[in-house]
Amino acid sequence: MSEANSKTTNLTLNLEDGWVFTQLSGNNRNQPSNRGTDTGEWLPTKIPTGVHEELLKLSRIPDPFVGLNEHLVQWIGEETWAFQTKFTITAEMHALPNVDLVFDGLDTYATVELDGKKVLETNNMFVPYRVPIKDALSFSDAATEHSLLITFHPTFLKGRSLQRENADKTPAAIRGGGSTGGAGVMQGASNQIPGPNGELALWNGDASRLHVRKAQYHYGWDWGPVLMCVGPWKPIRLESYQLRIAEMRTEVDIPETLDNATVKVSAELAGASSKALTATLTLTEPVSKTETHSTVEIASGANSVQLEVQISDPKLWHPVGQGQQSLISPDRYRAWLQLLVDGNQNMVRVWGGGIYEADVFYDVCDELGILVWQDFMFGCGQYPAYDEFLERVSAEVEANVKRLRHHPSIVIWAGNNEDYAVAEAIPLELDYSVEWPSVDFRKTSFPARYIYEVLLPEMITKHAPDMYYHRGSPYSGSGKRSDDKQYGDVHQWNVWHGSQEPWHNWDKLAGRFVSEFGMQGYPDIRTVDYWIGDDKAERYPQSRTMNSHNKADGFERRLELYLMENFKHAFDVESYVYYTQVMQAECLAAAYRLWRREWRGPNQEYVGGAVVWQLNDCWPVTSWSIADYFLRPKPAYFSIARELAPFTVGMTRKEVKTITSPDSVAHFKISSVLEIWATNSHGQDKTVKLEVHAFDVEAGTAVEVTTEGLAGGKPVVLAPNGTTELWKGTTPGVDDVYVDGMRSKPIVIQARLIDVDTGVILARYSNWPEPFKYVHFPTKEQVNLQIIPSVASDGPLGSTSLTITVDRPVKGLVLDVDGPWAKFSDQAIDLFPGDTQVVGVIGLEGRAVKARYLGDGSA
């Protein structure tokens, strides 16, 4: 923006350097390796930062990610801390009519003093604060020095205080006959809610978190530690200006022809100018650098401006796999998000117990074509709705919706994570047949319904009307419970939690959109060794340290349930890592395979999508993640990627029992029925050849497939954007049996889709008899696994190709090396005689490749 004859001046001073911090309470810790600062001791730092990070860098505390150290640093969150700096306001900054201190994020309750005078009290980690300080500064035509002091009060203690003070604000409920679910329990000794100290109901963490607008996982979760972070977690700066853009909003209108677009931009201005100004909107096409401009005049004293630009042949934004994304952005967050895209996934969910991510996260999602499911920051609890709490929530929602509303990647805002499920489980007052304002939700035992059904949608309508709002996740609507499988989205935890179904039942557990499901698996053995640290006596699966690095309630029973149901397994730590990883890979691949089948084409889109819980970890841990804290993908990452490829082939094998006499239990027939289908995510038909092969894994012989429709390779046409059913009949090579428990032949069936034009294998899948624990696997000598390395000429620097062959089918091949981690292009691989597979690896550096697979003699 410029004046008619001269440019305005806006000056910014980033306050990153020159800070010191200290501990203001509890300084008498006589523990040299686990302490803060002495009284009056100020230590140098830079911001953004947090107390834990700084003390760790200075070796004042043990690494909370190692061993049991998490429990040793809990004192940090219950003390008072201060950060201080000095800065200079130049004569040029003094000359401007406005000077503001801007805090992008303070965690969480803080008092800010400028030159010894209080200028700000904060109460929300998610809210940026802007403090005009011009009036507090003495006029000067020279540079002046100033001091800035930020005192951080213990958020945990503040939360407990709020809990007690507002105990009478939520009507009572009695914990009773609701459905079960979740991993946490109500705080307090009685079944009455609120509890004796004002505790509201929740899963995970301390009940006081429900009153605090801070990342809820800081209080601990079923995959994360209790680390009450504190400090200036986002940048701080000084801004001097005559006039600035305080808020900008963009609307894009595109007709159905998609051949033009109208971009409307409105801006709110802060400050004032005594002269007329011009405002120019410039749109730049990032590839060709073509610019389109629009310029308007702004009258003196005006506080808003509107501009409009017409574009011909606009470059549209598409989700990954559906078209181009004409956007460019920085590299931060890129490694995680690129990993997601490389794994054939197209959606990431920003979960409601974490944070609203940094701008660059959404920039990279825009660039890579990743769809973002954005939760508001409420998770697994009976949140209050008293006036002061709603004020904090309103400020948070307005700030973050305005900040993020221009991102094409954000396709949905959801009101919360599992709060409706908590209400159903207790149960709280929740009648889906009534709506606001016929009932004042704030006067019920589920007061946060006011937030999810009134406050949040009103804010979205006001500040981002083009964005879709969903009341929660899961949430069904239509008067249905949140676990309804025909409406809305569902969190399908009846594998692992709930009824603990076999993962082979995923097809029966499908929902319209599955926004959570998962299975635990250990991380890479190097990650395990990181958290074990120097105490090698703890290096076994049942150790205290191992337990501290798996936060899931009842994980021992659940892991062993699914292992024992499916595998003959060993208990040394390397084997436990392997078997849980293969279990996770099999389980999650089965979910995607069976649910993707249910996207059957027009008017038969029974399952609209699935988002696995979870992509990443916040620390080294055994969890549901498919890549660990150090960005090392687990085998499940690769098994999912195969099931989300553009073309896939799937099979199921079911036993069908036919009773030969209605009056007999002894006379019956058990037949094996095989079903084969394929999927095509492209928008056009695809002609492929279906090849089906069979092998008796114990006898070591191929089984000729003579069944009509399968023999010799069958050309088939795959319908676009959907599933094509290919064949159903008796499983080749498997005879009927007539006695329960009788073993039929252990026949492995492999199906391949081959491009009829190029001969390239587009997809492959091996269907094994299950459970795997019943299979008598061949010896290593009979398998004759061959892994032949060769330097790849067309891959990244240091890359190697591994050519892999076998003489008998192999299940769950996982590759590794001794020493530093190497990056393999595939894992959890099924191999079949006569079907050579090639796997790339970066960082092999001449080392021998190690291999694990089911039946390798380790169990």
Side-chain angles (χ1 to χ4, degrees), residues 334-656:
R334 184 175 300 278
W336 275 111
L337 294 171
Q338 188 65 57
L339 185 72
L340 180 140
V341 170
D342 292 344
N344 294 323
Q345 299 186 53
N346 63 4
M347 174 174 271
V348 64
R349 178 169 168 235
V350 181
W351 168 75
I355 61 172
Y356 305 93
E357 299 293 343
D359 291 344
V360 69
F361 171 89
Y362 303 95
D363 290 340
V364 174
C365 288
D366 291 346
E367 178 191 344
L368 296 181
I370 298 171
L371 302 168
V372 176
W373 176 304
Q374 177 68 55
D375 284 357
F376 285 102
M377 294 300 117
F378 303 90
C380 296
Q382 178 194 11
Y383 284 88
Y386 48 86
D387 290 346
E388 188 271 340
F389 185 79
L390 294 179
E391 290 174 4
R392 284 183 276 144
V393 169
S394 295
E396 166 190 325
V397 172
E398 180 175 355
N400 286 284
V401 170
K402 286 181 176 179
R403 176 171 71 93
L404 300 176
R405 62 189 173 190
H406 66 284
H407 289 284
S409 56
I410 300 178
V411 295
I412 183 173
W413 285 83
N416 65 80
N417 173 77
E418 296 186 353
D419 292 356
Y420 284 95
V422 168
E424 292 165 353
I426 292 171
L428 302 176
E429 295 174 75
L430 176 56
D431 183 350
Y432 286 114
S433 68
V434 299
E435 297 278 341
W436 175 275
S438 61
V439 172
D440 187 347
F441 302 136
R442 292 170 293 185
K443 296 179 180 179
T444 72
S445 59
F446 186 27
R449 194 174 173 190
Y450 175 82
I451 297 174
Y452 314 139
E453 300 185 24
V454 182
L455 189 154
L456 294 179
E458 286 181 352
M459 297 289 263
I460 289 287
T461 299
K462 180 179 180 181
H463 300 297
D466 293 334
M467 285 186 160
Y468 176 74
Y469 175 73
H470 191 55
R471 288 177 172 179
S473 182
Y475 186 81
S476 298
S478 303
K480 307 292 185 180
R481 285 173 51 92
S482 67
D483 56 3
D484 190 279
K485 293 188 290 185
Q486 296 184 359
Y487 297 86
D489 69 313
V490 65
H491 290 187
Q492 186 46 273
W493 283 110
N494 281 314
V495 171
W496 184 269
H497 287 304
S499 56
Q500 298 177 4
E501 300 282 331
W503 69 65
H504 311 83
N505 291 349
W506 281 127
D507 52 351
K508 301 175 184 177
L509 301 172
R512 289 288 296 120
F513 189 98
V514 186
S515 49
E516 276 192 25
F517 70 100
M519 172 57 70
Q520 281 204 350
Y522 265 68
D524 187 277
I525 189 64
R526 297 163 185 81
T527 303
V528 174
D529 283 334
Y530 179 90
W531 78 55
I532 291 295
D534 296 330
D535 192 356
K536 303 306 179 187
E538 290 286 286
R539 198 177 185 270
Y540 62 97
Q542 305 91 340
S543 73
R544 186 185 303 271
T545 299
M546 289 292 198
N547 275 25
S548 187
H549 287 260
N550 190 330
K551 300 296 186 180
D553 182 58
F555 72 87
E556 302 98 333
R557 296 187 298 276
R558 289 170 170 84
L559 282 176
E560 276 305 306
L561 167 68
Y562 286 102
L563 284 172
M564 287 294 292
E565 279 188 343
N566 294 281
F567 304 98
K568 176 186 176 186
H569 74 91
F571 277 95
D572 63 282
V573 68
E574 287 84 2
S575 291
Y576 215 71
V577 167
Y578 168 75
Y579 285 105
T580 62
Q581 286 184 345
V582 170
M583 175 177 70
Q584 183 190 39
E586 286 292 308
C587 174
L588 300 184
Y592 276 107
R593 184 182 314 120
L594 294 170
W595 291 341
R596 187 173 178 183
R597 184 187 191 184
E598 296 306 312
W599 184 260
R600 293 179 177 270
N603 301 315
Q604 299 182 80
E605 298 97 341
Y606 301 122
V607 178
V611 180
V612 68
W613 183 269
Q614 64 208 66
L615 174 64
N616 64 323
D617 285 322
C618 69
W619 76 315
V621 67
T622 295
S623 78
W624 298 272
S625 72
I626 60 173
D628 69 26
Y629 175 74
F630 296 105
L631 235 161
R632 299 177 182 126
K634 300 178 186 178
Y637 167 84
F638 300 96
S639 68
I640 291 172
R642 292 193 292 269
E643 297 300 337
L644 293 178
F647 303 100
T648 70
V649 60
M651 290 182 277
T652 60
R653 186 189 312 208
K654 304 282 187 180
E655 288 188 348
V656 178

Side-chain angles (χ1 to χ4, degrees), residues 652-680:
T652 60
R653 186 189 312 208
K654 304 282 187 180
E655 288 188 348
V656 178
K657 189 173 187 178
T658 304
I659 304 295
T660 57
S661 170
D663 296 322
S664 172
V665 296
H667 299 90
F668 54 82
K669 178 179 69 174
I670 300 176
S671 303
S672 178
V673 176
L674 187 73
E675 298 181 10
I676 308 176
W677 68 91
T679 67
N680 171 14

